[in-house]
Amino acid sequence: MKQLPLGVRLPDRAVFMSFLPARNGQAVEHLRRVADGRIAGTSWLCGPPGAGKTHLLQAVSAQASTTMRAGYLPLKDLARLGVGVLEGLRQIECLCIDDIDQVVGDREWERELFSVLQGIEESGGRLVAAAESPPALLRWALPDLGSRFSASAVFQLRVLDEAEQQAALQLRAHLRGFDLPDETSRWLQRRYPRDMRKLYDLLDTLDEAALVAQRRLTIPFIREVLGSSGDQD
């Protein structure tokens, strides 16, 4: 786990190496350059749940924090604490704001966000925001803030298709040091929701069980661990 200035702890797997770019290669390359300090200014990620927005924001924060002051701000979790969570963020050199649409339309939040955005841009820093929709489609209370975000580098993330999901699961397994046979990954895809976050969590659970039992991730073993609740046949 990596401790960042905002006090938010990121999972070890939230890195670029564990993210399969697939058809999102342009966005991933742009964000790598942001995290390395080669690109400044504002970037925006949009896409449906499960497209990888949170993973990429956390990867940017984790990589940037090795060379600069960086932070990850998940507004879905922190917005309830009020605009005070934005205090002092003007000095952050790389700020990643997740679920920014949680506060869009709230004039107080938008005023503070505008102040943070101005401070970061004036100091030559970088801000990466994520929401389900592009900034031009959100209902901003402050049109000027919406215009500033609309002028940023906007990337629409595409959800992985079935073959890409299988490759992503096998990449995660490889990075964790175990093999995931093709037939096993296909079995998981057929029987569980094809949401990558849920599939990753499921894979982590199975890996831990296999480690304890000293077993391979075969279909019979998965049935034994998870029971028949996931079967849809």
Side-chain angles (χ1 to χ4, degrees), residues 3-232:
Q3 183 73 40
L4 298 179
L6 296 184
V8 176
R9 296 176 68 83
L10 303 183
D12 291 333
R13 64 176 180 265
V15 294
F16 285 114
M17 184 181 299
S18 62
F19 187 88
L20 184 75
R23 293 164 292 168
N24 298 311
Q26 185 178 5
V28 173
E29 178 56 27
H30 173 86
L31 294 174
R32 283 183 179 274
R33 293 167 62 85
V34 169
D36 288 343
R38 290 176 286 170
I39 293 179
T42 309
S43 306
W44 185 283
L45 299 182
C46 52
K53 301 186 297 294
T54 294
H55 187 137
L56 287 174
L57 287 186
Q58 292 178 346
V60 170
S61 296
Q63 183 165 317
S65 67
T66 63
T67 58
M68 64 184 85
R69 295 188 300 277
Y72 169 69
L73 188 72
L75 288 182
K76 187 175 182 179
D77 301 323
L78 301 180
R80 60 184 174 79
L81 301 178
V83 296
V85 300
L86 300 178
E87 185 177 351
L89 297 187
R90 291 169 61 97
Q91 284 71 48
I92 294 289
E93 296 170 281
C94 183
L95 175 63
C96 295
I97 303 179
D98 207 351
D99 299 305
I100 196 171
D101 40 356
Q102 293 285 318
V103 299
V104 169
D106 185 306
R107 188 172 295 273
E108 182 182 11
W109 269 97
E110 290 192 18
R111 280 199 297 265
E112 292 301 317
L113 283 171
F114 204 130
S115 176
V116 170
L117 175 60
Q118 282 184 314
I120 289 177
E121 288 185 339
E122 289 170 2
S123 65
R126 45 211 52 81
L127 186 152
V128 185
E132 289 193 27
S133 301
L137 297 184
L138 295 178
R139 302 184 66 176
W140 299 91
L142 301 178
D144 286 348
L145 180 59
S147 297
R148 294 283 284 272
F149 276 121
S150 294
S152 56
V154 178
F155 295 92
Q156 176 80 43
L157 297 183
R158 303 180 66 178
V159 176
L160 300 181
D161 62 24
E162 185 173 345
E164 292 165 345
Q165 281 190 340
Q166 185 175 351
L169 287 172
Q170 291 176 328
L171 172 62
R172 176 64 63 89
H174 174 73
L175 292 173
R176 290 194 63 134
F178 66 93
D179 293 325
L180 183 67
D182 290 347
E183 64 272 16
T184 303
S185 61
R186 286 194 296 267
W187 188 89
L188 289 171
Q189 286 179 298
R190 287 196 301 268
R191 288 162 175 78
Y192 293 89
R194 293 183 182 179
D195 179 298
M196 288 311 300
R197 185 179 303 174
K198 294 178 180 177
L199 285 172
Y200 282 153
D201 288 343
L202 180 61
L203 190 64
D204 291 345
T205 298
L206 292 171
D207 177 36
E208 292 170 4
L211 184 62
V212 171
Q214 293 296 295
R215 297 272 298 276
R216 294 180 63 249
L217 279 186
T218 61
I219 293 174
F221 177 70
I222 293 175
R223 286 181 182 273
E224 181 182 326
V225 173
L226 302 178
S228 59
S229 60
D231 289 340
Q232 297 175 357

